[in-house]
Amino acid sequence: MQHTPLDPKDRVFLFLQGPHGPFFSALGKMLRSTGAQVWRVGFNAGDQAFWADKASYVPFLDAAETWPETLAGIIAEKGITDIVLYGDTRPVHAQAVHVARAHGAIVHVFEEGYLRPWWVTYERNGSNGNSHLMSLGTNQMRLALEDADYKTPPPPSHWGDMRQHIFYGALYHWFVMFMNGRYRNFRRHRELPVSTEFRLYFKRLILMPFHRLRRSIATARVRWRGHPYHLVLLQLGHDSSVRAHSNYSGMCEFLDQVIEGFAQGAPSHHRLVIKEHPLENHREPLRRHAMACARRHGIQERVHYVPGGKLAKLLDEANSAVTVNSTAGQQVLWRGIPLRIFGRSVYDKPEFVSQQPIAAFFAAPEHPDSEAYRCYRQFLLETSQVPGGFYSRRGRRQVLRRAVDMMLSANDPYQVILNKSAARTPQLKIVEGQGRAVTGS
């Protein structure tokens, strides 16, 4: 069913926590220019510092236990029709999604791009393991795209705005650490104290040239030695995609399972290359833990650790890759490289993600169905993937050119294309309110 669009002048948007930096403020300003009302709830001094329109800022100063009741009151008082947030799993956002649904408000979820690095993700009601993509099969995507005239672009191989990302992260935590006096009840959704978080961000920013040199040396060693190798794509252990959408509490547990499987299954001349996340700030002793685990299995000479950086050079010659549910898995699949994952992910489709036991995967990894993956990728590009980024000025401009119109649309990005397909293909039915397609007679 096609929803009747609301006039922007009848829309009242409430922003919650966003990516570090000015993106949410810029997005709110553009929504305001359409005639919509815009409000922002902030939970700490970092949220407040990055919201330019102080007249529309509402500080939440009470105890965390009162948040659902407070949000319900704000929705009723201000006539909120839409709630905007970055990620849907941190406690204040998970509770907000529940309250918003109870009040009939539309939930707009922004996330890092599923086709990173040069895209961001826009969905409704949930992202990652809560995304509507989880219930869509590749055959349904193919039906939706069959009349489309498209040319798949090459995958970007650069991050785009890494320095800005780290800078805004450090600045945000500086405000929380030194300017947070009025937010005495603020409780972080991450485990580390904010002072430690700031120190880690600042250290990462200062040491970027040193890490770049170490990374270049480690990458060159892997490529020049000539051994077949398998890539381990690490993530940030505290990230919601790991905590909420896998059975791991961090990367050390994941490394234990992968290194044991490699020792049991991989041919003796193969190597295991562990690739650190570009934003890793070493709250877990990953390198030390990995090498200790390799020694326990007697394969320390076959395990290499690469600190952060770009992925493309290592991926180009890899035999296979494993990850929990990193978006970097999309780059693996684009190249037709076998992939095994250990968490819930929007790209976990049986056509292109291996289901083999880990030892068997390292022994003889099954290759993905590249045609099915290209269909899946194009479906994302036609729907939820928005060109640009959150952190650089250029990236924000690119996102804003498309995001506001997507937010004002009567339907979420998946429903738009699925509704068109359903009108053309009787056997494709839309599950109302979820943007989910099912086949039927």
Side-chain angles (χ1 to χ4, degrees):
M1 178 185 297
Q2 195 79 11
H3 292 290
T4 302
L6 290 173
D7 189 309
K9 294 182 177 60
D10 297 326
R11 306 283 284 270
V12 184
F13 289 84
L14 180 66
F15 282 67
L16 303 184
Q17 290 192 295
H20 298 150
F23 172 73
F24 260 19
S25 184
L27 180 60
K29 180 180 180 180
M30 187 165 286
L31 280 167
R32 204 175 290 115
S33 72
T34 70
Q37 294 185 54
V38 176
W39 296 90
R40 169 73 187 268
V41 172
F43 299 84
N44 58 56
D47 294 340
Q48 182 174 338
F50 286 117
W51 188 256
D53 182 43
K54 304 308 178 186
S56 62
Y57 181 80
V58 181
F60 177 71
L61 306 176
D62 298 328
E65 296 76 25
T66 69
W67 167 237
E69 181 181 354
T70 299
L71 176 60
I74 293 172
I75 291 174
E77 175 190 346
K78 301 188 181 301
I80 301 298
T81 60
D82 300 77
I83 289 182
V84 189
L85 42 84
Y86 174 62
D88 64 333
T89 57
R90 65 183 69 181
V92 295
H93 286 177
Q95 293 170 338
V97 170
H98 179 75
V99 173
R101 287 173 177 167
H103 287 78
I106 300 171
V107 178
H108 306 266
V109 184
F110 284 89
E111 238 322 344
E112 302 291 350
Y114 293 148
L115 300 178
R116 258 181 249 185
W118 228 178
W119 286 277
V120 305
T121 297
Y122 167 74
E123 296 178 286
R124 295 189 185 177
N125 298 318
S127 63
N128 291 310
N130 296 325
S131 168
H132 297 158
L133 286 170
M134 298 297 293
S135 57
L136 271 174
T138 56
N139 185 55
Q140 293 147 8
M141 297 177 187
R142 185 178 293 108
L143 285 171
L145 291 170
E146 66 179 7
D147 287 342
D149 181 19
Y150 60 81
K151 181 179 180 181
T152 303
S157 60
H158 62 284
W159 180 259
D161 45 11
M162 178 62 70
R163 289 186 184 86
Q164 294 94 326
H165 192 163
I166 296 173
F167 169 77
Y168 283 128
L171 185 59
Y172 179 91
H173 287 95
W174 184 90
F175 279 111
V176 177
M177 187 164 57
F178 293 111
M179 307 292 288
N180 220 45
R182 70 188 298 211
Y183 298 93
R184 296 179 181 178
N185 291 309
F186 172 63
R187 297 291 180 270
R188 305 181 70 249
H189 66 282
R190 294 178 178 172
E191 298 170 356
L192 291 182
V194 68
S195 57
T196 303
E197 193 87 31
F198 170 76
R199 178 174 54 81
L200 291 172
Y201 267 106
F202 186 74
K203 180 180 178 182
R204 185 72 181 177
L205 190 63
I206 294 298
L207 294 178
M208 281 185 76
F210 172 71
H211 288 307
R212 189 179 298 115
L213 177 61
R214 286 183 56 206
R215 182 167 62 246
S216 298
I217 294 171
T219 302
R221 284 175 176 169
V222 170
R223 299 180 69 203
W224 291 347
R225 286 178 177 175
H227 293 282
Y229 61 86
H230 306 260
L231 271 179
V232 182
L233 306 178
L234 295 182
Q235 297 167 243
L236 299 177
H238 61 269
D239 193 82
S240 62
S241 60
V242 175
R243 297 296 181 91
H245 302 303
S246 82
N247 296 323
Y248 301 111
S249 60
M251 287 293 98
C252 287
E253 300 171 57
F254 171 61
L255 282 170
D256 289 341
Q257 185 174 357
V258 169
I259 292 173
E260 180 181 7
F262 180 81
Q264 293 174 351
S268 59
H269 63 293
H270 284 209
R271 298 294 185 261
L272 188 69
V273 178
I274 300 170
K275 168 68 171 57
E276 190 178 81
H277 189 278
L279 289 173
E280 179 58 55
N281 52 24
H282 306 117
R283 62 183 69 197
E284 288 184 273
L286 297 177
R287 184 189 184 97
R288 186 167 69 247
H289 183 90
M291 300 317 294
C293 184
R295 282 193 294 273
R296 286 198 302 272
H297 292 283
I299 58 170
Q300 61 270 25
E301 299 299 323
R302 299 170 57 198
V303 175
H304 307 276
Y305 192 94
V306 177
K310 298 177 182 178
L311 182 59
K313 290 183 180 179
L314 285 172
L315 260 185
D316 288 340
E317 298 177 357
N319 275 33
S320 75
V322 298
T323 186
V324 176
N325 53 13
S326 171
T327 54
Q330 304 263 13
Q331 295 188 46
V332 178
L333 293 169
W334 173 258
R335 289 166 169 79
I337 298 171
L339 176 68
R340 178 72 163 83
I341 70 171
F342 293 82
R344 293 172 292 282
S345 171
V346 294
Y347 59 79
D348 185 12
K349 308 297 181 185
E351 293 91 340
F352 39 81
V353 174
S354 173
Q355 310 298 311
Q356 298 169 275
I358 184 60
F361 177 80
F362 282 127
E366 296 174 350
H367 284 261
D369 180 339
S370 294
E371 182 180 353
Y373 176 71
R374 284 194 294 271
C375 171
Y376 166 86
R377 177 186 169 83
Q378 189 60 41
F379 184 84
L380 263 62
L381 289 171
E382 296 286 334
T383 54
S384 62
Q385 300 308 286
V386 185
F390 295 126
Y391 305 103
S392 71
R393 185 177 289 108
R394 176 190 173 196
R396 291 193 296 273
R397 285 199 303 263
Q398 285 186 294
V399 176
L400 291 172
R401 288 189 184 105
R402 287 188 57 191
V404 171
D405 288 340
M406 295 173 76
M407 295 172 73
L408 294 175
S409 171
N411 294 283
D412 75 26
Y414 303 124
Q415 282 179 307
V416 170
I417 191 169
L418 290 169
N419 284 341
K420 291 178 181 177
S421 181
R424 185 184 67 249
T425 311
Q427 69 267 29
L428 193 68
K429 299 177 181 178
I430 303 300
V431 178
E432 180 61 33
Q434 298 181 2
R436 180 162 58 90
V438 295
T439 54
S441 57

